[in-house]
């Protein structure tokens, strides 16, 4: 079936649709050996040889969407140069080449989406989508309330302020998944420490995902994160998925992710 070239390129995860249009106009896309630089041109991804910057765009496979509860001790990449176990080794009987959307550190656990839908993966990772991700973190020590408020309001990180975050103290080690309070993302919430366990737990919700962001934010206020678990991505929680287990997302969940808009109550 013929489709617009920018759609095919985006679906293959090579670039967003807008970027794909730029690549086409710049003459960096060929179909069966011919440069196609006109927007609106169509091709059939299963029969035509489409290349971007000389690299073959693979024909689309069946779309797969998985939600994995990543255990500690796995890297969230397809391959690891250091030979550590990857999240791919947890998948059974999945023939399609799925890959993780974003990263969870080797020492972090919790929810990770895997898919072969490049367009959705790009959308979920883009800053504009502002998908909230909620983490439970255990700290080595007790942060000062004013430092926690700084984290909520945003701190400079890599020369750019972090987006406003939600942060609250948890009464103790989290059991299962806690609901995220229903208030709008971005509005700072009061942080109330209910008592002082030796190593406190906090719940942090971010609408961006920079490199090692949670650990580095706490480092900036002098606190070491000793445990980190992602307990929620948008509306998805682990709902009984044990570490190492995964499930397919339902079509309704995929659609909800696809149409997610920042700030919209879902
Ligand atoms: N932030 C981190 O620092 N680590 C993770 O694994 C996820 C978010």
């Amino acid at each position: 079936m013929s489709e617009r070239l920018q759609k095919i390129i985006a679906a293959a995860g090579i670039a967003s649709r807008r970027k794909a249009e730029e690549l086409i106009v710049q003459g960096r896309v060929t179909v069966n050996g011919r440069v196609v630089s006109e927007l609106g041109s169509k091709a059939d991804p299963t029969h035509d040889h489409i290349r971007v910057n000389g690299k073959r765009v693979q024909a689309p496979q069946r779309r797969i969407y998985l939600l994995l509860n990543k255990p500690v001790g796995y890297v969230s990449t397809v391959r690891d140069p250091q030979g550590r176990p990857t999240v791919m080794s947890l998948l059974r009987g999945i023939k399609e080449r799925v890959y993780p959307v974003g990263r969870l550190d080797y020492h972090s656990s919790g929810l990770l989406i895997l898919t072969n839908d490049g367009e959705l993966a790009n959308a979920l990772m883009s800053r504009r989508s502002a998908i909230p991700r909620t983490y439970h973190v255990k700290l080595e020590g007790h942060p000062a309330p004013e430092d926690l408020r700084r984290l909520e309001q945003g701190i400079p990180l890599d020369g750019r302020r972090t987006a406003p975050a939600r942060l609250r103290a948890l009464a103790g080690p989290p059991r299962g998944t806690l609901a995220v309070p229903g208030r709008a993302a971005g509005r700072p919430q009061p942080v109330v420490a209910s008592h002082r366990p030796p190593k406190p737990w906090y719940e942090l919700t971010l609408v961006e995902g920079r490199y090692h962001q949670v650990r580095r934010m706490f480092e900036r206020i002098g606190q070491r994160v000793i445990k980190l678990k992602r307990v929620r991505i948008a509306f998805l929680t682990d709902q009984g998925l044990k570490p190492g287990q995964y499930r397919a997302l339902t079509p309704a969940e995929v659609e909800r992710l696809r149409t997610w808009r920042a700030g919209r109550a879902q």
Side-chain angles (χ1 to χ4, degrees):
M1 199 183 72
S2 280
E3 283 177 311
R4 282 172 183 258
L5 268 179
Q6 61 265 42
K7 188 168 175 215
I8 298 169
I9 294 167
I14 294 166
S16 66
R17 277 194 207 196
R18 206 158 46 84
K19 185 87 191 110
E21 287 175 0
E22 282 172 29
L23 292 168
I24 294 167
V25 172
Q26 288 163 3
R28 289 155 73 182
V29 178
T30 59
V31 177
N32 301 326
R34 284 221 187 115
V35 173
V36 175
S37 55
E38 215 168 281
L39 281 183
S41 303
K42 290 186 172 181
D44 180 344
T46 47
H47 294 110
D48 293 321
H49 285 226
I50 304 164
R51 290 180 188 269
V52 175
N53 291 330
K55 200 163 164 247
R56 179 84 194 269
V57 176
Q58 295 303 324
Q61 311 157 312
R62 187 167 66 103
R63 293 281 174 244
I64 304 281
Y65 306 89
L66 304 173
L67 182 67
L68 168 75
N69 187 352
K70 176 186 126 35
V72 169
Y74 286 79
V75 289
S76 57
T77 47
V78 174
R79 257 167 259 101
D80 181 48
Q82 295 176 46
R84 292 170 298 180
T86 75
V87 289
M88 308 312 285
S89 66
L90 297 167
L91 307 183
R92 299 273 172 265
I94 307 283
K95 290 188 200 72
E96 289 77 5
R97 286 171 21 155
V98 294
Y99 48 87
V101 178
R103 295 274 177 271
L104 270 181
D105 303 337
Y106 180 75
H107 293 291
S108 301
S109 61
L111 299 177
L112 189 66
I113 294 174
L114 296 106
T115 184
N116 56 355
D117 181 340
E119 191 165 19
L120 182 67
N122 278 334
L124 293 180
M125 285 190 290
S126 89
R127 225 192 289 165
R128 264 186 308 154
S129 71
I131 298 272
R133 295 168 177 88
T134 299
Y135 300 89
H136 285 172
V137 294
K138 186 181 188 182
L139 302 181
E140 188 126 80
H142 287 270
E146 59 271 23
D147 283 340
L148 294 173
R149 262 187 293 279
R150 279 174 52 215
L151 292 189
E152 288 184 297
Q153 286 160 2
I155 54 161
L157 196 67
D158 306 327
R160 186 161 54 83
R161 276 190 94 71
T162 56
R166 279 196 308 242
L167 183 55
R168 67 182 183 113
L170 297 174
R175 245 195 267 130
T177 300
L178 297 179
V180 172
R183 289 197 240 174
R187 196 175 312 148
Q189 309 286 304
V191 176
V192 185
S194 50
H195 65 112
R196 282 175 71 87
K199 300 207 191 301
W201 283 86
Y202 285 87
E203 182 180 275
L204 176 67
T205 300
L206 300 178
V207 290
E208 54 183 359
R210 302 195 218 167
Y211 178 70
H212 289 177
Q213 182 165 350
V214 176
R215 292 178 197 275
R216 290 195 301 143
M217 282 174 70
F218 280 103
E219 253 168 42
R220 290 291 189 279
I221 61 161
Q223 292 297 328
R224 198 165 79 86
V225 169
I226 49 180
K227 281 195 182 153
L228 194 164
K229 182 174 187 200
R230 182 149 67 201
V231 296
R232 192 171 175 116
I233 302 172
F235 52 88
L236 296 167
T237 59
D238 65 13
Q239 285 180 326
L241 269 187
K242 298 204 170 61
Q245 292 183 338
Y246 61 93
R247 69 170 177 89
L249 294 179
T250 66
E253 287 170 333
V254 173
E255 191 51 29
R256 222 171 139 190
L257 286 175
R258 227 190 273 291
T259 54
W260 182 275
R261 291 285 175 275
R264 194 163 92 185
Q266 303 234 358

